[in-house]
Amino acid sequence: MTQIALNLGITEQQVEQVLLLTEEGNTIPFIARYRKEKTGNLDEVAIKTIIDLDKSMTALTDRKNSVLTKIEELGKLTPELKKAIEEASKLADVEELYLPYKEKRRTKGMIAREAGLFPLARLILQNVPTLEKEAEDFVTDGFETADKALAGACDILSEALSEDAKLRSWTYNEIWANSQLVSTVKDSSADDKQVFKLYYDFSDKVVKIQGYKTLALNRGEKLGVLKISFEHNLDKMTRFYEARFKEKNDYIRKFVQDALKKKILPAMERRVRAELTESAEDGAIALFSENLRHLLLIAPLKGKMVLGFDPAFRTGAKLAVVDQTGKLMTTHVIYPVAPASQAKIAQAKKELAELIKAYGIELIAIGNGTASRESEAFVAEVLKDFPEVSYVIVNESGASVYSASELAREEFPDLTVEKRSAISIARRLQDPLAELVKIDPKSIGVGQYQHDVSQKKLAENLDFVVDTVVNQVGVNVNTASPALLSHVAGLNKTISENIVRYREENGEIKSRAEIKKVPRLGAKAFEQAAGFLRIPNAKNILDNTGVHPESYPAVKELFTKLNIKDLDDSSKTKLQSIDITNMSKELGLGIETLTDIIADLLKPGRDLRDEFEAPVLRQDVLDVKDLEIGQELQGTVRNVVDFGAFVDIGVHEDGLIHQSRMVKRQRDKNGRPKAYPHPSDILSVGDIVTVWVTELDLDRNRIGLSLLKPHGLD
């Protein structure tokens, strides 16, 4: 507990309270929102970090105890070794200390010991001048000559040296500080698109290599394109190893080289690469998680009739009209682009115009997949007759995954996969969060190298992000899908399906208290979920806020004290003017809890996503050929990666803002350039940005962008 508190810069009491609340069956969203006084106002990320650290430190402690017991049973546990194991901060360090005592398969060194060659090994260390002569006395089965006996003795010494914990630790630290990680091309034919060309002749210091480069090297190696190796200062390492021996001879040099090159270096290289990979994975997962959080928080376009447009060439575009609540009104197929005939394209224009008129379409959501650019041009042409209608290019990553899922089949059993996809595209514009929760987060496409990281760790982190955002936003219990409800604290798939079934059988749920009637929804589940479930038309205004039912009596007392009957402007003025500290004492509430209650009462039914920028609406199409160097454009950030950000500027291909073109490079007091800040410190998925075109590669459809206004345009 002390170590966790030190690591996170918080108090031991905060750690203790989080672990205690977790033991009692409370969820992370519930603890973060409704137990702020106990945790000292820790957010979801801090609470999860405490829980994760506690698990990993418990596992480390258990392993230490197991290792100590095993070494003690061998009668080889010294006070120094015990202290070293107890103070180890990494599991890998514990395993290094345990290595000499571990039960091993039979080795050359063991066989040599069993043959009685240990005294000969001692003579090598003593640098006896007549070693070859002395070795003749050790000739035995398996070691029929003096040379073979000496080789066996060297095997004993090599293995003993290779298990020296201090040498291994020094080598490990030396690799991290001074070695280079090198990649060369192994088979360029396996890289037909030259994705890994940058790494055909690449080297970087181990300590400096960036995470995304590590993952790229790993993938290139796995595909057989690249060969990865290390470059070490072997002379320095050899000198350090040999310095342990006062006397030198050819046999000492031989077993030192053998221990270094065949045993210690390969082991330490594996460890370093594993740690580089783990660090790179953690970085990639953290970036993916942050991108996903911002994507889920993109402002919904509420109350709009939307037409979802899933583009295609040969099979035609699938259209779906959904009303203001996301309810499907109709589906349709048109043939708006080649290879369709001019007659079919003309007919498609007529049919789209009729749909716009018949359903009062306000927005068209066009998927950004195959035939998107051609479909966008088609839509823009039709909308010349409908100036009140706009279109938005919607990132359809994962839409096809959802459309073919069991969830989609249950929702729309009579529709084709493509038509379900059009519905998903439309709804994704109306309410990104409600639609994206139906899709495996890994398929949403806002990460880098997500298929090269630990899938278990990735899934856990992305699920945590989805849960956090869903609970921060709140969920309308009368309209939410089972997929959305299942992310609410305390609810699972079964209870979520029961809620939907209950409202289908009994009509709209009218109060939070009524939720208790849902089958399988017990007292603990209600406690965890109630504050995150919203009922917009409830008789009790508190049922449409983040105020937890456990605080209703206190709020009733607050209303009595302030003579509040309903939440009109005068009542809100009264709420804004109260002394939080004194009132919290009078009501028996914590200051943080009362502060949150008042914030909810001032904006009942508020949606925190409304504070974020809405998508860019377009009415005309832009082609990549229309772009010019220096041109100013507005775009939406689609993805943030370690080296920059990809921005949708309305030309089908996303442009890249490299991190060097996000901010002017700063210099330290000595005039040396500082490292650029990480792109995620500057931009987030969903941000609306003004950019300038800096590079155009029409052959490869690559567009370079900058956040910095070019010189001469001021």
Side-chain angles (χ1 to χ4, degrees):
M1 217 172 289
T2 304
Q3 191 59 51
I4 295 174
L6 285 171
N7 287 354
L8 300 181
I10 57 178
T11 66
E12 284 187 50
Q13 186 180 2
Q14 287 175 291
V15 176
E16 186 180 2
Q17 284 296 327
V18 166
L19 297 177
L20 186 61
L21 286 164
T22 305
E23 267 182 46
E24 292 170 356
N26 295 297
T27 60
I28 292 175
F30 179 82
I31 296 170
R33 178 65 173 81
Y34 298 111
R35 293 297 179 263
K36 290 183 177 180
E37 282 78 20
K38 287 191 175 183
T39 68
N41 202 17
L42 295 176
D43 64 16
E44 291 89 346
V45 174
I47 292 167
K48 182 177 185 296
T49 303
I50 289 170
I51 295 168
D52 290 346
L53 277 175
D54 180 64
K55 286 178 183 174
S56 63
M57 291 179 79
T58 299
L60 179 62
T61 300
D62 289 346
R63 183 56 179 160
K64 284 180 182 180
N65 291 336
S66 173
V67 165
L68 287 168
T69 300
K70 287 175 180 175
I71 298 174
E72 192 168 30
E73 286 172 354
L74 294 171
K76 296 182 179 180
L77 186 62
T78 64
E80 294 77 18
L81 179 57
K82 183 179 181 183
K83 185 172 184 289
I85 292 171
E86 288 175 342
E87 291 179 352
S89 59
K90 294 180 184 176
L91 200 54
D93 290 333
V94 175
E95 299 303 335
E96 285 291 322
L97 292 165
Y98 179 44
L99 182 64
Y101 311 97
K102 216 171 191 174
E103 191 174 328
K104 306 174 186 70
R105 58 180 177 80
R106 277 170 60 78
T107 63
K108 288 181 179 180
M110 286 180 184
I111 294 167
R113 278 177 181 268
E114 290 166 4
L117 298 181
F118 186 73
L120 180 57
R122 189 176 287 128
L123 292 175
I124 291 173
L125 293 178
Q126 292 168 357
N127 201 21
V128 173
T130 55
L131 271 174
E132 288 77 5
K133 178 71 175 168
E134 298 283 350
E136 292 175 2
D137 294 336
F138 292 90
V139 171
T140 184
D141 289 344
F143 301 91
E144 289 83 1
T145 66
D147 285 344
K148 287 184 178 180
L150 284 165
C154 283
D155 285 335
I156 294 172
L157 294 169
S158 174
E159 287 181 14
L161 191 66
S162 70
E163 293 180 350
D164 186 302
K166 290 181 180 177
L167 263 187
R168 293 173 73 92
S169 177
W170 180 87
T171 308
Y172 165 80
N173 290 321
E174 170 65 17
I175 292 173
W176 267 109
N178 297 310
S179 293
Q180 299 263 342
L181 191 63
V182 177
S183 76
T184 53
V185 64
K186 180 180 179 183
D187 182 4
S188 59
S189 66
D191 186 23
D192 55 338
K193 294 183 179 178
Q194 295 197 318
V195 174
F196 301 99
K197 188 175 182 181
L198 175 67
Y199 303 102
Y200 286 1
D201 182 16
F202 170 87
S203 71
D204 204 353
K205 285 193 78 169
V206 170
V207 72
K208 288 184 177 179
I209 192 164
Q210 293 168 286
Y212 74 91
K213 291 180 180 177
T214 297
L215 295 175
L217 292 172
N218 288 353
R219 183 189 287 181
E221 182 182 44
K222 186 177 180 182
L223 294 174
V225 177
L226 303 175
K227 180 182 178 183
I228 313 297
S229 60
F230 285 84
E231 278 184 5
H232 308 292
N233 188 336
L234 286 173
D235 288 341
K236 178 183 177 182
M237 290 179 171
T238 301
R239 287 195 304 271
F240 186 83
Y241 277 48
E242 289 183 353
R244 297 177 69 94
F245 306 99
K246 291 180 181 179
E247 304 292 341
K248 307 285 191 302
N249 58 45
D250 288 343
Y251 297 103
I252 289 176
R253 293 187 184 94
K254 179 186 180 304
F255 80 71
V256 164
Q257 285 294 314
D258 191 56
L260 173 61
K261 293 182 179 179
K262 294 183 180 179
K263 296 182 173 65
I264 297 183
L265 269 182
M268 294 303 102
E269 287 177 355
R270 286 192 297 272
R271 179 178 172 185
V272 167
R273 283 202 67 185
E275 289 179 356
L276 282 172
T277 298
E278 184 178 16
S279 176
E281 287 187 354
D282 288 346
I285 290 170
L287 184 58
F288 196 151
S289 299
E290 184 67 6
N291 287 343
L292 177 62
R293 187 176 74 83
H294 287 288
L295 181 65
L296 295 175
L297 285 170
I298 287 175
L301 290 173
K302 298 174 181 174
K304 303 285 186 184
M305 288 290 292
V306 178
L307 183 145
F309 193 115
D310 186 14
F313 285 116
R314 186 180 53 80
T315 56
K318 281 68 181 180
L319 311 183
V321 176
V322 299
D323 72 6
Q324 292 87 343
T325 65
K327 180 182 176 183
L328 176 65
M329 305 301 291
T330 189
T331 61
H332 199 65
V333 180
I334 59 175
Y335 295 85
V337 299
S341 65
Q342 286 301 314
K344 280 192 173 183
I345 292 173
Q347 179 65 24
K349 286 181 179 178
K350 181 183 175 185
E351 291 175 9
L352 178 59
E354 287 173 353
L355 281 172
I356 292 172
K357 291 175 189 172
Y359 290 95
I361 301 299
E362 297 166 90
L363 288 171
I364 297 177
I366 305 173
N368 68 340
T370 304
S372 175
R373 185 165 65 85
E374 294 80 1
S375 298
E376 183 184 2
F378 167 83
V379 169
E381 181 67 27
V382 173
L383 293 188
K384 286 179 180 178
D385 295 329
F386 299 93
E388 73 283 3
V389 182
S390 301
Y391 71 84
V392 178
I393 301 297
V394 175
N395 186 344
E396 63 178 58
S397 293
S400 59
V401 175
Y402 158 73
S403 303
S405 69
E406 184 182 345
L407 190 64
R409 286 195 297 274
E410 288 176 3
E411 195 171 2
F412 303 108
D414 300 326
L415 296 182
T416 63
V417 167
E418 294 81 7
K419 287 181 179 178
R420 293 178 197 148
S421 183
I423 298 166
S424 179
I425 289 167
R427 287 177 170 179
R428 196 180 288 201
L429 181 61
Q430 285 184 320
D431 191 339
L433 176 60
E435 197 61 25
L436 289 171
V437 294
K438 300 175 183 176
I439 300 166
D440 179 352
K442 295 194 293 295
S443 302
I444 290 175
V446 288
Q448 60 179 6
Y449 296 103
Q450 58 261 38
H451 301 295
D452 299 297
V453 304
S454 163
Q455 295 303 293
K456 182 173 182 288
K457 193 187 291 186
L458 178 63
E460 287 173 355
N461 280 270
L462 297 185
D463 285 345
F464 167 72
V465 171
V466 176
D467 290 348
T468 299
V469 172
V470 167
N471 288 286
Q472 286 176 343
V473 170
V475 171
N476 183 337
V477 74
N478 283 310
T479 60
S481 66
L484 184 57
L485 286 166
S486 67
H487 288 283
V488 173
L491 304 185
N492 56 29
K493 185 175 183 289
T494 301
I495 297 175
S496 300
E497 290 171 349
N498 288 348
I499 290 174
V500 174
R501 194 174 296 113
Y502 177 89
R503 73 191 189 208
E504 287 172 352
E505 294 172 357
N506 300 280
E508 193 175 86
I509 295 172
K510 296 180 172 59
S511 70
R512 278 177 172 163
E514 188 183 349
I515 297 170
K516 294 178 181 178
K517 296 179 181 178
V518 172
R520 305 284 295 275
L521 199 154
K524 192 65 180 180
F526 179 79
E527 177 196 47
Q528 299 298 302
F532 304 112
L533 297 173
R534 306 282 189 269
I535 305 175
N537 300 317
K539 186 176 179 182
N540 185 343
I541 189 71
L542 300 182
D543 285 352
N544 193 34
T545 70
V547 179
H548 197 281
E550 67 186 9
S551 297
Y552 283 12
V555 175
K556 185 178 181 182
E557 187 181 343
L558 174 67
F559 282 5
T560 301
K561 287 178 180 292
L562 299 179
N563 193 26
I564 290 175
K565 297 287 190 294
D566 55 45
L567 292 175
D568 55 20
D569 290 342
S570 63
S571 298
K572 290 179 181 179
T573 302
K574 291 177 184 177
L575 288 167
Q576 287 172 317
S577 63
I578 68 171
D579 184 321
I580 295 282
T581 303
N582 289 332
M583 185 61 77
S584 66
K585 291 176 182 174
E586 290 181 35
L587 298 174
L589 291 173
I591 291 174
E592 295 288 352
T593 298
L594 182 55
T595 300
D596 286 344
I597 287 172
I598 290 172
D600 276 308
L601 294 175
L602 291 174
K603 290 184 177 180
R606 66 175 175 165
D607 188 330
L608 67 86
R609 294 174 296 170
D610 293 339
E611 300 167 11
F612 298 89
E613 293 176 292
V616 176
L617 305 181
R618 304 185 188 280
Q619 286 187 307
D620 202 0
V621 68
L622 189 66
D623 192 281
V624 68
K625 293 173 185 173
D626 300 328
L627 298 179
E628 296 176 1
I629 301 295
Q631 185 174 357
E632 180 180 340
L633 297 162
Q634 192 178 44
T636 304
V637 177
R638 291 291 188 200
N639 197 8
V640 179
V641 293
D642 282 332
F643 51 86
F646 291 96
V647 178
D648 170 19
I649 52 172
V651 295
H652 189 57
E653 295 296 333
D654 289 346
L656 171 66
I657 310 175
H658 190 269
Q659 65 184 138
S660 62
R661 295 188 181 275
M662 290 185 173
V663 291
K664 290 181 180 177
R665 195 160 196 179
Q666 301 296 309
R667 294 182 178 273
D668 62 22
K669 59 184 179 182
N670 297 315
R672 291 187 296 255
K674 292 183 179 179
Y676 287 107
H678 192 278
S680 63
D681 294 330
I682 301 168
L683 294 176
S684 301
V685 170
D687 284 353
I688 310 299
V689 293
T690 299
V691 295
W692 286 267
V693 179
T694 58
E695 297 168 55
L696 286 171
D697 184 341
L698 298 183
D699 292 334
R700 294 193 294 174
N701 278 331
R702 291 191 177 180
I703 305 163
L705 303 173
S706 175
L707 283 179
L708 304 172
K709 193 172 187 179
H711 294 300
L713 295 180
D714 297 313

PDB file of all heavy atoms in Angstrom, residues 340-348:
ATOM      1  N   ALA A 340     -22.324   1.685 -63.162  1.00  0.00           N
ATOM      2  CA  ALA A 340     -23.738   1.832 -63.501  1.00  0.00           C
ATOM      3  C   ALA A 340     -23.872   2.715 -64.748  1.00  0.00           C
ATOM      4  O   ALA A 340     -23.071   3.620 -64.977  1.00  0.00           O
ATOM      5  CB  ALA A 340     -24.496   2.454 -62.335  1.00  0.00           C
ATOM      6  N   SER A 341     -24.897   2.473 -65.528  1.00  0.00           N
ATOM      7  CA  SER A 341     -25.131   3.261 -66.746  1.00  0.00           C
ATOM      8  C   SER A 341     -25.584   4.668 -66.385  1.00  0.00           C
ATOM      9  O   SER A 341     -26.017   4.930 -65.256  1.00  0.00           O
ATOM     10  CB  SER A 341     -26.204   2.582 -67.597  1.00  0.00           C
ATOM     11  OG  SER A 341     -27.450   2.604 -66.895  1.00  0.00           O
ATOM     12  N   GLN A 342     -25.499   5.578 -67.359  1.00  0.00           N
ATOM     13  CA  GLN A 342     -25.946   6.949 -67.130  1.00  0.00           C
ATOM     14  C   GLN A 342     -27.429   6.977 -66.772  1.00  0.00           C
ATOM     15  O   GLN A 342     -27.870   7.801 -65.963  1.00  0.00           O
ATOM     16  CB  GLN A 342     -25.683   7.805 -68.377  1.00  0.00           C
ATOM     17  CG  GLN A 342     -24.222   8.159 -68.579  1.00  0.00           C
ATOM     18  CD  GLN A 342     -23.650   8.922 -67.383  1.00  0.00           C
ATOM     19  OE1 GLN A 342     -24.258   9.861 -66.869  1.00  0.00           O
ATOM     20  NE2 GLN A 342     -22.485   8.487 -66.918  1.00  0.00           N
ATOM     21  N   ALA A 343     -28.184   6.069 -67.345  1.00  0.00           N
ATOM     22  CA  ALA A 343     -29.621   6.016 -67.046  1.00  0.00           C
ATOM     23  C   ALA A 343     -29.859   5.649 -65.582  1.00  0.00           C
ATOM     24  O   ALA A 343     -30.712   6.236 -64.904  1.00  0.00           O
ATOM     25  CB  ALA A 343     -30.301   4.999 -67.965  1.00  0.00           C
ATOM     26  N   LYS A 344     -29.068   4.665 -65.096  1.00  0.00           N
ATOM     27  CA  LYS A 344     -29.215   4.258 -63.692  1.00  0.00           C
ATOM     28  C   LYS A 344     -28.773   5.373 -62.748  1.00  0.00           C
ATOM     29  O   LYS A 344     -29.359   5.567 -61.685  1.00  0.00           O
ATOM     30  CB  LYS A 344     -28.402   2.988 -63.419  1.00  0.00           C
ATOM     31  CG  LYS A 344     -29.089   1.708 -63.868  1.00  0.00           C
ATOM     32  CD  LYS A 344     -28.385   0.485 -63.306  1.00  0.00           C
ATOM     33  CE  LYS A 344     -29.170  -0.781 -63.598  1.00  0.00           C
ATOM     34  NZ  LYS A 344     -28.537  -1.975 -62.998  1.00  0.00           N
ATOM     35  N   ILE A 345     -27.714   6.084 -63.125  1.00  0.00           N
ATOM     36  CA  ILE A 345     -27.228   7.185 -62.281  1.00  0.00           C
ATOM     37  C   ILE A 345     -28.270   8.297 -62.230  1.00  0.00           C
ATOM     38  O   ILE A 345     -28.538   8.870 -61.164  1.00  0.00           O
ATOM     39  CB  ILE A 345     -25.870   7.703 -62.810  1.00  0.00           C
ATOM     40  CG1 ILE A 345     -24.788   6.624 -62.616  1.00  0.00           C
ATOM     41  CG2 ILE A 345     -25.466   8.992 -62.087  1.00  0.00           C
ATOM     42  CD1 ILE A 345     -23.447   6.948 -63.254  1.00  0.00           C
ATOM     43  N   ALA A 346     -28.886   8.583 -63.366  1.00  0.00           N
ATOM     44  CA  ALA A 346     -29.947   9.602 -63.403  1.00  0.00           C
ATOM     45  C   ALA A 346     -31.131   9.165 -62.539  1.00  0.00           C
ATOM     46  O   ALA A 346     -31.726   9.973 -61.808  1.00  0.00           O
ATOM     47  CB  ALA A 346     -30.395   9.832 -64.848  1.00  0.00           C
ATOM     48  N   GLN A 347     -31.456   7.875 -62.613  1.00  0.00           N
ATOM     49  CA  GLN A 347     -32.545   7.346 -61.792  1.00  0.00           C
ATOM     50  C   GLN A 347     -32.191   7.434 -60.309  1.00  0.00           C
ATOM     51  O   GLN A 347     -33.048   7.745 -59.466  1.00  0.00           O
ATOM     52  CB  GLN A 347     -32.825   5.887 -62.187  1.00  0.00           C
ATOM     53  CG  GLN A 347     -33.929   5.196 -61.387  1.00  0.00           C
ATOM     54  CD  GLN A 347     -35.295   5.819 -61.602  1.00  0.00           C
ATOM     55  OE1 GLN A 347     -35.537   6.457 -62.625  1.00  0.00           O
ATOM     56  NE2 GLN A 347     -36.185   5.663 -60.631  1.00  0.00           N
ATOM     57  N   ALA A 348     -30.914   7.178 -59.984  1.00  0.00           N
ATOM     58  CA  ALA A 348     -30.462   7.259 -58.591  1.00  0.00           C
ATOM     59  C   ALA A 348     -30.624   8.681 -58.048  1.00  0.00           C
ATOM     60  O   ALA A 348     -31.039   8.870 -56.894  1.00  0.00           O
ATOM     61  CB  ALA A 348     -29.000   6.822 -58.490  1.00  0.00           C
TER      62      ALA A 348
END
